[in-house]
Amino acid sequence: MDLQARFNAIVARHHWWDDGERIVIAVSTGVDSMVLLHLVEHLTRKRPEIIVAYVDHQLREQSRQESRYIRAYCRDHQLQLQETAWPIEQHPKSGVEAAARAFRYDWFNQLLRKYQANVLLTAHHGDDLAETVLMKWVRGGQLNALSGIQESRQFRGATMVRPLLSFSKQELYDFAVAADIRWFEDQTNQELQVERNRIRHQVVPVLKQENPHMLDHVLEYSIQIQETLNVVRKLTAPIVDQAVTVTDFSQPTIDLNVLSRYSQSVVRVVLQSILEDRLHFKDVSQKQLDMLYRLATNPARPQGQLYLEGGWRVVRSYQQLTIVQEDKIFAEKSKIKPDFMVILDRWYSIDETLKIGVFRDDQPFLTDRVYHFDLADSDFPLRVRPANANDQIALTNGGHQRVNRVLINAKIPSIKRNQTSVLVTASGTVLSVLGVKATFYRSVAETTHTYFLVERHVDQ
C-alpha cells in the first residue's frame, strides 16, 4: 500500500472531520508539511475545505523565497492562504524557538476562530515522536512525558491532529520525490548545538540500525502509555473529586483525611492529577512530586509549605493542603483588617463568615455562640482590632496564653492567622479571639453589668 493509500485509510478510520468541513493546516514549506498538504488535497473521502496557515518567522533570508513559493502554490491549487510574519522587533535574545512556537500557535488559534474551524492539522511524523520521547527520557520527568506527541489532543477549544505519526521522515522524502513536490530545507536543522538536532542526527539513526522498526515500536509504546494513563486518571477521578474543594480565589484545598485511606501510589497519582489537570502544570518533575507527597503525608510536620514553579505555593495546615498563587496570597494579606469601636446591641461583619455583636440582654440566640463578661463602665468603649504578637488571653485557672498559641491549638491555618481579630476593653485587655475562643473576665470594679458577646457564623 502506497503512502497516499495508507493516509486515506488513517483518515477514514478516524472521525477527525467530516466531508467538506473547514480545517486549518499548518504549513512551513518543509517536506513534512508540503507532503501533508498534498495528501489532504488528494483524499478520496472526507475531503475538507482547506485553510493554509503559513508563518514567516523572518529568521532566515530564505524565508522570502519560501513565502513567494507558498503563495504561488496556493494560487495554483486554488487553496485559501492565510499568512503572517513574526515581527523582528519581537524576536527575543534567547529562547527564540519557544517564542516562535508561541507566536505560531497563537496565529493558528486566531485562524481557527476567524473561520470557525474545529481542526488544526500539523505535520509531526514518526521521527518527531521518537526525538521527543528520547529528549523527555534524557531530561527526566513523569511517565506521561514519555507518551510524546499525541495523534490528537485538545487545542484551545479545537482539536489538533497529527495524522503523520505512523510515517517516517524518509517515507515523506521518498513520497515527495515521487510525487514531484517541491519543498525547502531549513539549514538550522543541521546545527548540532541544538539538542533535538543532536538526537535527530546522532542518536535516532543508530537506533534505526539496531531495529528498522524502531519508530513503529515508539508509536506503539506511546499509544499504550496514553491509554493506560487515561484509564488511571478515570479511575482516580472520583478520589480527586472527593478530596478537592475550591476555596476563595479558586484555590484548590485538598482534604488529607481522604487521601490517608489510599496507598502511596494512588496518592501520588491524585496529587499529580490535581497539578496537571486542575492547575495545568506542565512537566511536573519527579522531585517536585516527591516533595509534595512528603509534605502531604508527613505526620511529624502538620504545618509547612512548598514553593512550586509559576508563583504557586502549597501550604499544609494540619489535614488540609491548599495550593495558592503568590499574588493571591498577597491580595489576601492586603485586605483591610477590621479596627472599630463597638456600639452595643449592633451586629458587625468581621469577614465573609463571621458576624459579632455585644448585647446588654441575654437574647435567645438559639444558633449562635454566646459568651458573657462582667464589665464596668471603665472597660468601655470596647474595640475590635487585629491581633498582635503581644496579645494574651486570660484562662479560667488564672493563667494567661498568647493568642498565637490559641490559634495553633485551634488548628487555624497559618495563612489565616494574620486575619485574626480580637475584642478588647478600653485598657486593651483581650476579651475574645473572635471566632476562636473567649476569655474569662470579671471587672474588679464594685459596680458591673453582664454583657453578652454573640458570634454568628455565616455559611458561604
Side-chain angles (χ1 to χ4, degrees):
M1 185 183 296
D2 66 15
L3 194 142
Q4 180 72 62
R6 288 166 56 197
F7 182 81
N8 292 352
I10 290 172
V11 173
R13 188 167 64 249
H14 294 85
H15 300 284
W16 291 324
W17 64 81
D18 296 323
D19 188 58
E21 183 178 345
R22 187 177 293 160
I23 68 172
V24 175
I25 304 180
V27 177
S28 67
T29 72
V31 65
D32 315 332
S33 60
M34 292 308 301
V35 167
L36 174 62
L37 183 57
H38 178 97
L39 293 171
V40 176
E41 287 183 86
H42 290 81
L43 282 169
T44 55
R45 297 174 56 192
K46 293 188 176 180
R47 296 187 62 174
E49 178 185 341
I50 298 171
I51 308 296
V52 176
Y54 171 75
V55 178
D56 179 1
H57 295 93
Q58 302 195 88
L59 294 171
R60 311 183 313 277
E61 287 296 327
Q62 183 178 290
S63 68
R64 297 180 182 179
Q65 185 180 358
E66 295 171 5
S67 298
R68 289 194 295 269
Y69 168 66
I70 195 62
R71 291 183 199 123
Y73 182 97
C74 290
R75 182 182 65 248
D76 295 343
H77 290 248
Q78 298 181 329
L79 297 174
Q80 172 84 281
L81 172 66
Q82 288 292 310
E83 59 177 320
T84 190
W86 187 25
I88 294 176
E89 60 271 17
Q90 293 185 16
H91 294 188
K93 294 182 180 179
S94 61
V96 173
E97 184 178 352
R101 186 182 187 280
F103 179 87
R104 187 164 63 247
Y105 279 89
D106 284 343
W107 167 246
F108 298 156
N109 182 50
Q110 292 177 39
L111 294 182
L112 290 167
R113 293 176 178 273
K114 177 180 179 180
Y115 288 97
Q116 297 181 325
N118 295 315
V119 178
L120 169 67
L121 261 61
T122 68
H124 295 91
H125 47 76
D127 286 76
D128 288 327
L129 172 61
E131 293 160 13
T132 299
V133 169
L134 288 169
M135 289 169 61
K136 295 291 183 66
W137 176 68
V138 170
R139 293 174 183 174
Q142 298 303 313
L143 181 62
N144 59 357
L146 295 182
S147 66
I149 303 171
Q150 299 179 41
E151 195 171 34
S152 67
R153 70 172 181 84
Q154 292 300 303
F155 173 74
R156 305 186 190 183
T159 302
M160 182 187 296
V161 178
R162 285 86 165 230
L164 300 183
L165 289 184
S166 58
F167 302 100
S168 70
K169 181 84 168 185
Q170 189 60 51
E171 288 180 299
L172 301 182
Y173 274 129
D174 294 343
F175 181 84
V177 172
D180 196 25
I181 300 172
R182 184 186 179 190
W183 75 87
F184 289 81
E185 289 285 356
D186 183 353
Q187 295 305 314
T188 62
N189 290 334
Q190 306 299 320
E191 298 173 353
L192 294 183
Q193 62 265 37
V194 178
E195 179 189 17
R196 181 177 287 275
N197 291 345
R198 293 194 299 274
I199 298 290
R200 175 176 299 162
H201 298 298
Q202 298 178 339
V203 178
V204 172
V206 175
L207 296 177
K208 287 181 178 178
Q209 288 179 0
E210 289 292 326
N211 189 335
H213 299 289
M214 187 271 289
L215 295 185
D216 295 332
H217 295 163
V218 171
L219 178 59
E220 290 168 2
Y221 278 126
S222 176
I223 294 172
Q224 290 179 47
I225 291 173
Q226 291 172 24
E227 291 178 345
T228 301
L229 291 177
N230 288 339
V231 170
V232 170
R233 292 291 174 85
K234 185 174 182 179
L235 292 176
T236 55
I239 303 175
V240 175
D241 293 338
Q242 185 181 7
V244 177
T245 57
V246 178
T247 61
D248 296 342
F249 303 110
S250 301
Q251 298 166 357
T253 296
I254 305 168
D255 186 346
L256 299 182
N257 289 314
V258 173
L259 298 191
S260 66
R261 307 169 194 163
Y262 300 95
S263 68
Q264 173 181 342
S265 299
V266 171
V267 172
R268 292 174 67 89
V269 170
V270 168
L271 293 174
Q272 183 179 354
S273 177
I274 293 169
L275 292 180
E276 294 180 347
D277 301 338
R278 298 291 180 96
L279 301 178
H280 307 293
F281 278 55
K282 294 182 179 179
D283 297 328
V284 177
S285 69
Q286 187 70 25
K287 180 179 179 180
Q288 282 193 325
L289 193 58
D290 288 341
M291 294 171 65
L292 181 57
Y293 176 81
R294 288 197 295 270
L295 177 65
T297 59
N298 186 357
R301 193 182 180 193
Q303 295 199 92
Q305 60 185 2
L306 169 66
Y307 288 90
L308 302 176
E309 61 185 21
W312 289 92
R313 180 157 64 125
V314 184
V315 180
R316 178 175 178 181
S317 295
Y318 303 99
Q319 290 305 101
Q320 281 194 339
L321 205 67
T322 304
I323 306 176
V324 296
Q325 279 187 300
E326 286 300 300
D327 57 343
K328 293 175 181 178
I329 294 175
F330 179 79
E332 178 75 11
K333 289 183 176 180
S334 300
K335 285 182 178 179
I336 298 175
K337 303 172 187 177
D339 190 338
F340 56 88
M341 185 177 70
V342 175
I343 299 175
L344 296 177
D345 303 320
R346 179 182 297 184
W347 286 104
Y348 295 92
S349 293
I350 302 303
D351 55 32
E352 295 86 351
T353 63
L354 178 65
K355 290 184 176 182
I356 66 102
V358 178
F359 297 88
R360 279 179 267 246
D361 298 319
D362 185 8
Q363 301 180 37
F365 299 106
L366 299 180
T367 61
D368 304 310
R369 183 178 297 173
V370 180
Y371 305 96
H372 69 274
F373 309 108
D374 293 330
L375 304 177
D377 290 344
S378 59
D379 290 316
F380 290 88
L382 303 182
R383 177 170 292 277
V384 169
R385 63 162 174 79
N388 61 53
N390 297 319
D391 283 335
Q392 294 185 343
I393 191 169
L395 303 177
T396 54
N397 62 6
H400 289 79
Q401 188 176 60
R402 288 189 178 275
V403 167
N404 189 55
R405 173 50 58 183
V406 172
L407 298 174
I408 292 173
N409 291 346
K411 297 187 177 181
I412 302 299
S414 55
I415 195 173
K416 294 293 186 182
R417 290 178 198 162
N418 68 310
Q419 296 298 314
T420 302
S421 297
V422 292
L423 174 68
V424 299
T425 66
S427 62
T429 300
V430 176
L431 299 177
S432 174
V433 182
L434 294 175
V436 181
K437 185 175 183 178
T439 185
F440 173 78
Y441 181 82
R442 180 188 297 273
S443 173
V444 296
E446 292 184 4
T447 303
T448 62
H449 184 77
T450 301
Y451 297 86
F452 301 91
L453 166 64
V454 183
E455 296 181 349
R456 177 169 294 175
H457 291 267
V458 182
D459 292 332
Q460 290 184 291

